[in-house]
Amino acid sequence: MWSLIAIALSITACGKSSKPKPVTDPAAWIEAAKSFADRACVCQTDKDCLHGVRDEFDAQKAQLLAATFAVPDDKAKFDAEILRLRSCGDAGGLTIWLQ
């Protein structure tokens, strides 16, 4: 009897995945990051413009940075857009923090 219970529990445990599932469509996360980067890059050295982009990014940062990607190429595209956002902020004299 106990062996049947042990087998049933092991089958149940094996069916659960420990990997997190992708949050949503990866294209949406990439597009959101691209939009922030595009807008920051258009600002160039206009700090008021950059502050607006950074404030909006800060409001959504936790959700954006929590995004998961099943395909490494999608993650690389997302990371490249976040790096571009930060680079344009730096070029304009305004640091965009990720923490």
Side-chain angles (χ1 to χ4, degrees), residues 20-38:
K21 294 180 181 178
V23 176
T24 61
D25 178 20
W29 294 118
I30 294 166
E31 185 56 38
K34 182 182 182 317
S35 174
F36 281 117
D38 288 346

Side-chain angles (χ1 to χ4, degrees), residues 18 20-21 24 28-29 45 59 66-68 77 83 88 94-96:
S18 61
K21 294 180 181 178
T24 61
W29 294 118
T45 58
T68 57
K77 288 176 187 176
L83 178 61
C88 288
L94 187 71
T95 300
I96 298 176

